[in-house]
Coordinates of all heavy atoms in Angstrom, one line a residue:
Chain A
R623 N -15.7 -87.9 -29.8 CA -16.7 -87.8 -30.8 C -16.3 -88.7 -31.9 O -17.2 -89.3 -32.5 CB -17.0 -86.4 -31.3 CG -18.5 -86.1 -31.4 CD -18.8 -84.8 -32.1 NE -18.2 -83.7 -31.4 CZ -17.8 -82.6 -32.1 NH1 -18.0 -82.5 -33.4 NH2 -17.3 -81.6 -31.4
F624 N -15.1 -88.8 -32.3 CA -14.6 -89.6 -33.4 C -14.1 -91.1 -32.9 O -13.4 -91.7 -33.7 CB -13.5 -88.9 -34.2 CG -14.1 -87.8 -35.0 CD1 -13.7 -86.4 -34.6 CD2 -15.1 -87.9 -36.0 CE1 -14.2 -85.3 -35.3 CE2 -15.6 -86.8 -36.7 CZ -15.2 -85.6 -36.3
N625 N -14.3 -91.3 -31.7 CA -13.6 -92.5 -31.1 C -12.2 -92.6 -31.3 O -11.6 -93.7 -31.4 CB -14.3 -93.7 -31.7 CG -15.8 -93.9 -31.2 OD1 -16.0 -93.7 -30.1 ND2 -16.6 -94.2 -32.1
L626 N -11.5 -91.5 -31.3 CA -10.1 -91.5 -31.2 C -9.6 -91.8 -29.8 O -9.9 -91.0 -28.9 CB -9.5 -90.2 -31.8 CG -9.8 -89.9 -33.2 CD1 -9.7 -88.5 -33.6 CD2 -8.9 -90.8 -34.1
K627 N -8.8 -92.8 -29.6 CA -8.5 -93.3 -28.2 C -7.5 -92.4 -27.6 O -6.6 -91.8 -28.3 CB -8.2 -94.7 -28.2 CG -6.8 -95.1 -28.6 CD -6.5 -96.6 -28.4 CE -5.4 -97.1 -29.2 NZ -4.2 -97.3 -29.2
L628 N -7.6 -92.3 -26.3 CA -6.7 -91.4 -25.5 C -5.7 -92.5 -24.9 O -6.0 -93.4 -24.2 CB -7.4 -90.7 -24.4 CG -8.5 -89.8 -24.8 CD1 -9.1 -88.9 -23.6 CD2 -8.0 -88.8 -25.9
C629 N -4.4 -92.3 -25.3 CA -3.5 -93.3 -24.9 C -2.0 -92.6 -24.7 O -1.7 -91.6 -25.2 CB -3.3 -94.4 -25.9 SG -3.4 -93.8 -27.6
S630 N -1.1 -93.4 -24.0 CA 0.1 -92.9 -23.7 C 1.1 -94.2 -23.8 O 0.7 -95.3 -23.3 CB 0.4 -92.3 -22.4 OG -0.4 -91.2 -22.2
N631 N 2.3 -94.0 -24.2 CA 3.3 -95.1 -24.1 C 3.8 -95.0 -22.6 O 3.6 -94.0 -21.9 CB 4.5 -94.8 -25.0 CG 4.1 -95.0 -26.4 OD1 3.8 -96.2 -26.7 ND2 4.1 -94.0 -27.3
D632 N 4.4 -96.1 -22.1 CA 5.0 -96.2 -20.8 C 6.1 -95.0 -20.7 O 7.0 -94.9 -21.6 CB 5.6 -97.5 -20.7 CG 6.4 -97.7 -19.4 OD1 6.3 -96.7 -18.5 OD2 7.1 -98.7 -19.2
F633 N 6.0 -94.2 -19.7 CA 6.8 -93.1 -19.6 C 8.3 -93.5 -19.6 O 9.3 -92.8 -20.0 CB 6.5 -92.3 -18.4 CG 7.2 -91.0 -18.2 CD1 7.1 -90.0 -19.1 CD2 8.2 -90.9 -17.2 CE1 7.8 -88.8 -18.9 CE2 9.0 -89.7 -17.1 CZ 8.8 -88.7 -18.0
N634 N 8.5 -94.7 -19.1 CA 10.0 -95.1 -18.9 C 10.5 -95.9 -20.2 O 11.7 -96.2 -20.2 CB 10.2 -96.0 -17.7 CG 9.8 -95.3 -16.4 OD1 10.3 -94.3 -16.2 ND2 8.9 -95.9 -15.6
S635 N 9.6 -96.0 -21.1 CA 10.1 -96.7 -22.3 C 11.0 -95.8 -23.1 O 10.8 -94.5 -23.1 CB 8.8 -97.1 -23.1 OG 9.1 -96.7 -24.4
R636 N 11.8 -96.4 -23.9 CA 12.7 -95.6 -24.7 C 12.0 -94.9 -25.8 O 12.5 -93.8 -26.3 CB 13.8 -96.5 -25.3 CG 15.2 -96.4 -24.6 CD 16.2 -97.0 -25.6 NE 15.7 -98.3 -26.0 CZ 16.3 -99.1 -26.9 NH1 17.4 -98.6 -27.4 NH2 15.7 -100.2 -27.4
D637 N 10.8 -95.4 -26.1 CA 10.0 -94.9 -27.2 C 9.2 -93.7 -26.9 O 8.5 -93.2 -27.8 CB 9.3 -95.9 -27.9 CG 10.2 -96.9 -28.7 OD1 11.3 -96.5 -29.0 OD2 9.7 -98.1 -28.9
Y638 N 9.2 -93.4 -25.5 CA 8.1 -92.5 -25.1 C 8.2 -91.1 -25.9 O 7.2 -90.8 -26.6 CB 8.3 -92.2 -23.6 CG 7.3 -91.2 -23.1 CD1 6.0 -91.5 -22.8 CD2 7.6 -89.8 -22.9 CE1 5.1 -90.7 -22.2 CE2 6.8 -88.9 -22.4 CZ 5.4 -89.3 -22.1 OH 4.5 -88.5 -21.6
Y639 N 9.4 -90.6 -26.0 CA 9.5 -89.2 -26.7 C 9.7 -89.5 -28.1 O 9.3 -88.6 -29.0 CB 10.7 -88.5 -26.1 CG 10.4 -87.8 -24.8 CD1 11.1 -88.3 -23.6 CD2 9.4 -86.9 -24.6 CE1 10.8 -87.7 -22.4 CE2 9.1 -86.3 -23.4 CZ 9.8 -86.8 -22.3 OH 9.5 -86.2 -21.0
V640 N 10.3 -90.6 -28.5 CA 10.4 -90.9 -30.0 C 9.1 -90.9 -30.6 O 8.9 -90.3 -31.7 CB 11.1 -92.2 -30.2 CG1 11.1 -92.7 -31.7 CG2 12.7 -92.1 -29.8
N641 N 8.1 -91.5 -30.0 CA 6.8 -91.7 -30.6 C 6.0 -90.3 -30.7 O 5.4 -90.1 -31.7 CB 5.9 -92.7 -29.8 CG 6.2 -94.1 -30.3 OD1 6.1 -94.3 -31.5 ND2 6.6 -94.9 -29.4
I642 N 6.3 -89.5 -29.7 CA 5.7 -88.2 -29.7 C 6.3 -87.4 -30.9 O 5.5 -86.8 -31.6 CB 5.9 -87.5 -28.4 CG1 5.3 -88.2 -27.2 CG2 5.4 -86.0 -28.4 CD1 5.6 -87.6 -25.8
R643 N 7.5 -87.5 -31.0 CA 8.2 -86.7 -32.2 C 7.7 -87.2 -33.5 O 7.5 -86.5 -34.4 CB 9.6 -86.8 -32.1 CG 10.1 -85.9 -30.9 CD 11.5 -86.4 -30.3 NE 12.6 -86.3 -31.2 CZ 13.7 -87.1 -31.1 NH1 13.8 -88.0 -30.2 NH2 14.6 -86.9 -31.9
K644 N 7.5 -88.6 -33.5 CA 7.0 -89.1 -34.9 C 5.6 -88.6 -35.2 O 5.2 -88.3 -36.2 CB 7.0 -90.6 -34.8 CG 8.4 -91.2 -35.0 CD 8.3 -92.7 -35.1 CE 9.8 -93.3 -35.3 NZ 9.7 -94.8 -35.1
A645 N 4.7 -88.6 -34.1 CA 3.4 -88.2 -34.2 C 3.3 -86.7 -34.7 O 2.5 -86.3 -35.6 CB 2.6 -88.4 -33.0
M646 N 4.2 -85.9 -34.2 CA 4.2 -84.5 -34.6 C 4.5 -84.3 -36.1 O 4.0 -83.6 -36.8 CB 5.2 -83.7 -33.7 CG 4.8 -83.6 -32.3 SD 5.8 -82.2 -31.4 CE 7.3 -83.0 -31.3
L647 N 5.5 -85.3 -36.5 CA 5.9 -85.3 -37.9 C 4.8 -85.6 -38.8 O 4.6 -85.2 -39.9 CB 7.1 -86.2 -38.0 CG 8.0 -85.9 -39.1 CD1 8.4 -84.5 -39.3 CD2 9.3 -86.8 -39.0
A648 N 3.8 -86.5 -38.3 CA 2.7 -86.9 -39.1 C 1.8 -85.7 -39.4 O 1.1 -85.8 -40.5 CB 1.8 -87.9 -38.3
G649 N 1.9 -84.5 -38.7 CA 1.1 -83.4 -39.1 C 2.0 -82.4 -39.7 O 1.6 -81.6 -40.6
Y650 N 3.3 -82.3 -39.2 CA 4.1 -81.1 -39.5 C 5.2 -81.5 -40.5 O 6.3 -80.8 -40.6 CB 4.7 -80.4 -38.3 CG 3.7 -79.7 -37.5 CD1 2.9 -80.3 -36.6 CD2 3.4 -78.4 -37.9 CE1 1.9 -79.5 -35.9 CE2 2.5 -77.6 -37.3 CZ 1.7 -78.2 -36.2 OH 0.7 -77.5 -35.6
F651 N 5.1 -82.5 -41.4 CA 6.2 -83.0 -42.3 C 6.5 -81.9 -43.3 O 7.4 -82.0 -44.0 CB 5.8 -84.3 -43.0 CG 4.5 -84.3 -43.7 CD1 4.4 -83.8 -44.9 CD2 3.3 -84.8 -43.0 CE1 3.1 -83.8 -45.7 CE2 2.1 -84.8 -43.7 CZ 2.0 -84.3 -45.0
M652 N 5.5 -81.0 -43.5 CA 5.8 -79.8 -44.4 C 6.6 -78.7 -43.8 O 6.9 -77.8 -44.5 CB 4.6 -79.3 -45.0 CG 4.0 -80.3 -46.1 SD 2.4 -79.7 -46.7 CE 1.4 -80.4 -45.5

Side-chain angles (χ1 to χ4, degrees):
Chain A
R623 224 188 301 148
F624 292 114
N625 290 318
L626 291 163
K627 71 175 165 97
L628 303 185
C629 46
S630 297
N631 287 298
D632 175 9
F633 184 69
N634 297 311
S635 135
R636 255 193 317 173
D637 289 340
Y638 181 80
Y639 286 113
V640 168
N641 277 307
I642 294 170
R643 286 150 68 201
K644 284 183 177 173
M646 290 197 290
L647 207 44
Y650 286 90
F651 55 83
M652 283 173 279

